[in-house]
Amino acid sequence: MSTAGYPVRVDARLDPGLSRWLWLVKWLLAIPHYLVLLVLWAAFVVLSIVAFFAILFTGHYPRAIFDFNVGVLRWSWRVGYYAYGALGTDRYPPFTLDEVPDYPAHLEVAYPERLSRGLVLVKTWLLALPHYLVVAFFAGGSLALVSGDNRTRVWSSGLIGLMVLVGAVVLLVTGRYPQSVFDFVLGMNRWVLRVAAYAALMTDEYPPFRFDPGGDDPSAARMTIGTPPPQQPIEAGQPVDTTAPQAAAPPAGSTAPPPATMAQTAPPAATAGARKWTGGRIVSVVAGAVLLAGSLGLLAASAGLGVLNLASRDRAGFVTTASRTFATSTSAIASSAVQVGASGQDWSGASWALGDARVRAESLDPRPVFIGVAHTADAAAWLAGVDHSTVIGFRDGAPVYRDVTGGTPSVPPEQAGIWAASVSGTGPQELVWPIQSSDWTVVVMHPDGSPGVIVRADAGATLPVLHWLWVAPLVVALVLIVAGVLLVVLAIPRAART
């Protein structure tokens, strides 16, 4: 018996007569596989999370999920072997999770009958860290370099990409892929795939820190049983060599065992299991995984909006702007027109969506302050000929005004009769009114219309619609979770029963 023992087996055969130039366009030819693998890996991640909890509670990796995830690794390895992970074949990869015996690249993972429920908690993020450093050196990646306010991202193809490029250039020039380069590339890919299977919880056996080059994986366990050659029948009259050792006859009444003349080779691990995954089941699992992944994003968005909704409200439930100082030498300060709903149309949902509005102001001199809100057309008509300033924006947190020259109001603002709501007095003043569909303007001034207004003010609204901004994604996420779980659950048990 000869065993190398590691349960992840990666084999490949370098095809003779590789095209000199085809590798230049394989990035284009492999695009359909990249698109399929994108969704397959989404399903791989989701099913690995399911497998994590299954191992944690039962100590078993669900066989149907195991076969699917091995199939994704196998598919990825075939595409990488065809493309720029090795360039070892010009034969287009098949679109299947199954093992394809006549394809030159193979990957098998022996199914573990039982896994440690404790190791599953630390394998992926802690125990595999030393191997991740090696894998990063082999497979490459990107590195962000930050200097002051500048961020530079450096991308590296890794040693695998570099050696494949060397092999490709030699192939282009000589028409032959160097065997030594191929062996080296296969050793690096084998290391990467072993770590990938370990990190995906497929085995408890720690990946060896051993470089195994060449197309044949030494992890293949083989056992050969040798027996003497079969005896020739004895013809009548032929002398019998009584000195030669004879096989003992079976006891009377017993059944003779079958001849032991055979050579047994351990079959590839779990190849039959991949056939459980038909095209419909794969589509069902992938669709379910995509829905579950999308639901996670919606749950995160819902949680973020919920926290933001609570954090942005004061004790009275208003979402309020920062308090700012407004100062002008004119008789009044007016806001720009605030349009609620479509122009010229009645938006009946304004009160439901926006709730109540609030403006708070406090005069920074001893005089009282007046706050009023009116339809923009009425406010503009009353302010015509009045010396006032309109806030048109902010620059660096300070208000920017457009001044209109004129005189003092002909009547005090409290007697103007144009206000939808108003309040006046000394000290802090607060004006609250229900928001309705229209164009609105807020005016702040002194009740006697005297010039020189300096106040500290803020504005806010209850905005009940913000509650739905986090409830809606939560509801959609729950629907997606239910649909995704159903799609996955419908496929996995059927694959397990096959």
Side-chain angles (χ1 to χ4, degrees):
M1 182 184 299
S2 171
T3 62
Y6 198 71
V8 180
R9 174 178 173 180
V10 180
D11 295 302
R13 182 185 70 252
L14 180 61
D15 279 354
L18 292 174
S19 170
R20 290 174 181 254
W21 59 268
L22 185 61
W23 64 272
L24 295 170
V25 295
K26 283 185 177 180
W27 64 270
L28 178 62
L29 301 177
I31 286 178
H33 279 283
Y34 294 149
L35 297 177
V36 175
L37 285 173
L38 182 65
V39 293
L40 286 178
W41 273 99
F44 182 99
V45 172
V46 172
L47 293 182
S48 295
I49 295 173
V50 176
F52 169 85
F53 287 103
I55 298 169
L56 183 62
F57 292 113
T58 70
H60 294 281
Y61 201 123
R63 183 58 186 263
I65 297 178
F66 181 87
D67 293 335
F68 180 88
N69 285 352
V70 171
V72 175
L73 285 177
R74 181 184 295 123
W75 193 325
S76 302
W77 166 229
R78 284 195 295 245
V79 174
Y81 187 73
Y82 168 79
Y84 303 104
L87 293 176
T89 182
D90 288 340
R91 180 178 169 184
Y92 200 69
F95 285 85
T96 178
L97 299 175
D98 297 347
E99 171 64 20
V100 179
D102 62 342
Y103 196 77
H106 307 275
L107 182 144
E108 298 296 342
V109 183
Y111 178 70
E113 293 300 331
R114 190 161 189 87
L115 292 168
S116 169
R117 297 161 68 177
L119 284 178
V120 73
L121 297 171
V122 294
K123 281 195 293 189
T124 301
W125 65 273
L126 179 61
L127 300 182
L129 280 178
H131 277 287
Y132 290 158
L133 299 177
V134 179
V135 168
F137 177 68
F138 286 164
S142 62
L143 176 65
L145 303 178
V146 180
S147 175
D149 296 333
N150 299 323
R151 176 185 292 269
T152 303
R153 185 166 291 277
V154 180
W155 180 82
S156 170
S157 63
L159 189 56
I160 292 177
L162 179 62
M163 295 305 298
V164 170
L165 178 61
V166 171
V169 172
V170 174
L171 174 64
L172 183 66
V173 174
T174 67
R176 189 179 64 85
Y177 195 112
Q179 183 66 43
S180 58
V181 174
F182 173 80
D183 292 342
F184 192 67
V185 167
L186 258 291
M188 291 186 288
N189 277 293
R190 184 170 290 121
W191 194 314
V192 171
L193 290 168
R194 287 173 178 171
V195 174
Y198 179 79
L201 311 177
M202 294 178 179
T203 178
D204 281 345
E205 188 170 342
Y206 199 69
F209 280 93
R210 184 181 70 238
F211 189 79
D212 293 325
D216 295 328
D217 193 329
S219 294
R222 300 182 181 277
M223 178 174 64
T224 302
I225 303 176
T227 59
Q231 297 180 358
Q232 297 297 326
I234 302 175
E235 299 179 2
Q238 180 179 351
V240 179
D241 185 2
T242 59
T243 61
Q246 302 294 324
S254 65
T255 303
T261 307
M262 62 180 180
Q264 295 179 343
T265 301
T271 55
R275 298 190 185 93
K276 301 174 181 179
W277 286 98
T278 62
R281 291 168 186 163
I282 293 174
V283 171
S284 178
V285 166
V286 168
V290 170
L291 292 180
L292 290 173
S295 69
L296 294 178
L298 288 174
L299 287 175
S302 174
L305 290 172
V307 171
L308 181 63
N309 179 44
L310 294 176
S312 61
R313 295 182 182 275
D314 58 19
R315 293 183 177 179
F318 284 86
V319 179
T320 308
T321 65
S323 181
R324 291 187 173 92
T325 299
F326 299 84
T328 179
S329 60
T330 60
S331 298
I333 299 175
S335 70
S336 298
V338 178
Q339 180 177 313
V340 180
S343 179
Q345 299 182 8
D346 179 28
W347 185 33
S348 58
S351 297
W352 173 86
L354 303 180
D356 295 334
R358 181 183 69 184
V359 175
R360 295 185 297 188
E362 180 181 7
S363 178
L364 299 183
D365 60 30
R367 292 177 292 176
V369 66
F370 169 87
I371 309 172
V373 59
H375 293 287
T376 297
D378 296 337
W382 186 75
L383 289 171
V386 176
D387 187 27
H388 67 279
S389 300
T390 301
V391 179
I392 59 175
F394 294 88
R395 183 181 296 121
D396 298 330
V400 178
Y401 304 99
R402 182 179 66 244
D403 295 332
V404 177
T405 59
T408 59
S410 57
V411 296
E414 294 172 319
Q415 302 175 13
I418 63 170
W419 311 110
S422 64
V423 66
S424 66
T426 58
Q429 299 297 308
E430 180 178 296
L431 176 63
V432 179
W433 78 99
I435 300 176
Q436 298 177 353
S437 176
S438 185
D439 295 339
W440 300 98
T441 295
V442 177
V443 178
V444 179
M445 57 191 303
H446 297 299
D448 59 1
S450 58
V453 180
I454 177 169
V455 295
R456 187 79 176 170
D458 60 51
T462 54
L463 300 178
V465 70
L466 289 183
H467 296 296
W468 288 101
L469 287 181
W470 71 268
V471 171
L474 176 62
V475 172
V476 174
L478 294 176
V479 172
L480 292 182
I481 289 174
V482 172
V485 168
L486 287 176
L487 288 172
V488 173
V489 165
L490 286 175
I492 291 179
R494 291 181 180 180
R497 290 194 300 266
T498 303

